[in-house]
Amino acid sequence: MTHAEILAAAGLSKSDLTGGTLAVHSPIDGAEIARVHETGAADMPAIIARSQAAFRVWREVPAPRRGELVRLLGEELRSAKAELGALVTLEVGKITSEGLGEVQEMIDICDFAVGLSRQLYGLTIASERPGHRMAETWHPMGPVGVISAFNFPVAVWSWNAALALVCGNPVIWKPSEKTPLTAMATHKIMERALARFGDAPEGLCQLVIGGPAVGEALVASKDVPVLSATGSTRMGSIVGPKVAARWGKAILELGGNNAMIVAPSADLEMAVRAIAFGAVGTAGQRCTSLRRLIVHRSVRDDLVKRLVKVYASLPVGDPRKAGTLIGPLIDAGSRDRMLKQLDKAKAEGGTVHGGQSVEGVKGGAYVTPALVEMPGQTATVCEECFAPILYVLTYDDLDEAIALQNEVPQGLSSCIFTLNLREAETFLSAGGSDCGIANVNIGPSGAEIGGAFGGEKETGGGRESGSDAWKGYMRRQTSTVNYSSKLPLAQGVEFPV
């Protein structure tokens, strides 16, 4: 299909794609595929006010009924999976299976949230006072702002929106300026679900497109009590304090510098497959991408030899073509940063395999993945570069390997390949990985929606998606009912009047 056919199939009209000020380019060939209209910063107060008005209605709708809207959204996503997945590939450069996989992730979180809509449980707590009942309940918070990044242009919105909606909150979405088209197509899908639902308040789900000024309006507004922001650590260091200063709740999903420890007992065939996808999937542009390989000295040479061979065979090119495993970086700026990072690694004593620009592919920023043998965990290794660079480090005992893994500022995802039960359990213990995600004999990327997603340290501490991440979109209320005829005070306090 041509670019125009993909855009049309995703439901985007000529008026959606022309006449605006924001130019959108496909990383596949660098072609400009749209000029979309941006939301004015001056329009944001009215948009936020509509969301607040919607909140006052939506919070009174029973949660299972709210879940019905998300169920309908899941149905609409199933019907549009192929078209939206193709648009993800066109606008982000993901290979076809990854574009479709991102939409499947949206469908999965809708399924999760529908069940959740009947399970927003509180607690009954034993009271120390006779004739009293103490309970904990959860209530909606208000408008949720979602600022998403280019690399998962629609899935991150769905993680937040599906949960926020069943929890009783409206959503205002600001996508990356690099990927507004997938957001526009998703918003049209949401509008179809809203039309089928029938009685949702106006302003329940809104889309705003633009640069920092639009995002700043969400970050600064006290009428947006929850702000979910996905992006760089630098961005989070700005957003987090601003939201905290107005007493809002920030859900931050920031950088990752994820490691795999390969132990002497590891199944190297499995490890190689996990390394390949973890390090080069999405052209290394996942927050959970594998960036550091910490290998036991006894298996290091064998593993590196295998990886050099695998890396040299990985097909790089047009992500729409069958057999391609590595598509383009999002833009030329990302390619240039990658090449500069490799120069820094060389200056620190690194030996680089791969990591070159691919010639002969028209327009896009295509590179071969880089495997870099490092003499130690240098300053460059501790930086996250959003590109397919994998640094190889060596260790002699497990404590050393865990220390190397935990030394970096980021704390998102981690894994170990070992057949030794003690090593696996040590890695998962309080003295093991300090990351929000820790896997055994599985790579660091490709998390399921059933578990809470997020990390520690400079990754931000936020949690989205599964488990009890829903609590981040609600406020907790502890209540006590006295059904006796007396008024005892807690802690045995006496106050006769």
Side-chain angles (χ1 to χ4, degrees), residues 2 10 83 126 137 184 212 242 274-275 298 301 304 315 320 324 359 365 367 370 387 423 440 451 470 483 492:
T2 65
E83 294 79 11
T137 53
M184 292 165 63
K242 287 187 175 182
I275 291 164
S298 65
D301 289 346
V304 169
R320 299 166 297 185
T324 298
E359 305 301 329
V367 293
E423 289 185 329
V440 176
W470 60 270
Y483 57 89

Side-chain angles (χ1 to χ4, degrees), residues 369-418:
L371 185 70
V372 187
E373 299 180 68
M374 294 297 292
Q377 189 151 269
T378 65
T380 296
V381 176
C382 292
E383 298 173 7
E384 181 193 34
C385 182
F386 223 54
I389 300 175
L390 179 61
Y391 300 106
V392 182
L393 306 169
T394 307
Y395 80 93
D396 292 302
D397 64 74
L398 185 61
D399 288 343
E400 177 191 4
I402 291 174
L404 280 171
Q405 179 197 280
N406 294 346
E407 275 177 3
V408 298
Q410 308 87 356
L412 178 51
S413 190
S414 60
C415 60
I416 187 171
F417 270 71
T418 180

Side-chain angles (χ1 to χ4, degrees), residues 140-365:
M141 285 280 289
V144 174
V146 179
I147 299 175
S148 58
F150 78 84
N151 60 323
F152 278 86
V154 288
V156 168
W157 170 80
S158 69
W159 292 354
N160 286 278
L163 298 189
L165 288 169
V166 300
C167 289
N169 306 310
V171 179
I172 305 172
W173 180 16
K174 181 207 169 301
S176 166
E177 303 96 297
K178 296 179 180 180
T179 53
L181 301 181
T182 43
M184 292 165 63
T186 299
H187 193 62
K188 289 177 181 289
I189 293 169
M190 183 77 239
E191 287 177 337
R192 294 200 292 270
L194 286 164
R196 291 175 62 191
F197 184 77
D199 58 353
E202 181 188 0
L204 183 62
C205 291
Q206 298 182 83
L207 176 67
V208 296
I209 293 173
V214 175
E216 173 64 25
L218 292 174
V219 170
S221 177
K222 290 185 177 181
D223 289 328
V224 182
V226 182
L227 194 285
S228 170
T230 301
S232 68
T233 297
R234 183 195 62 80
M235 178 272 289
S237 70
I238 297 170
V239 169
K242 287 187 175 182
V243 174
R246 62 171 176 82
W247 307 105
K249 181 185 291 187
I251 301 173
L252 298 176
E253 297 290 356
L254 309 176
N257 196 347
N258 314 294
M260 176 191 293
I261 297 172
V262 181
S265 67
D267 182 327
L268 293 187
E269 290 293 336
M270 282 182 62
V272 166
R273 293 198 299 273
I275 291 164
F277 175 70
V280 310
T282 323
Q285 297 174 120
R286 290 177 175 236
C287 53
T288 54
S289 288
L290 179 61
R291 311 214 180 273
R292 295 176 296 138
L293 189 62
I294 304 170
V295 189
H296 192 271
R297 193 175 303 276
S298 65
V299 295
R300 179 188 181 282
D301 289 346
D302 185 11
L303 182 58
V304 169
K305 183 179 178 180
R306 296 183 192 214
L307 288 173
V308 169
K309 182 178 180 180
V310 168
Y311 266 48
S313 69
L314 292 170
V316 181
D318 188 326
R320 299 166 297 185
K321 291 184 178 179
T324 298
L325 294 179
I326 306 173
L329 293 173
I330 190 66
D331 54 30
S334 291
R335 178 197 59 208
D336 294 344
R337 284 188 291 273
M338 174 181 174
L339 298 178
K340 287 180 181 178
Q341 192 83 350
L342 292 176
D343 287 340
K344 290 169 61 177
K346 290 176 186 176
E348 293 174 349
T351 300
V352 178
H353 307 275
Q356 290 123 10
S357 292
V358 176
E359 305 301 329
V361 184
K362 183 181 178 182

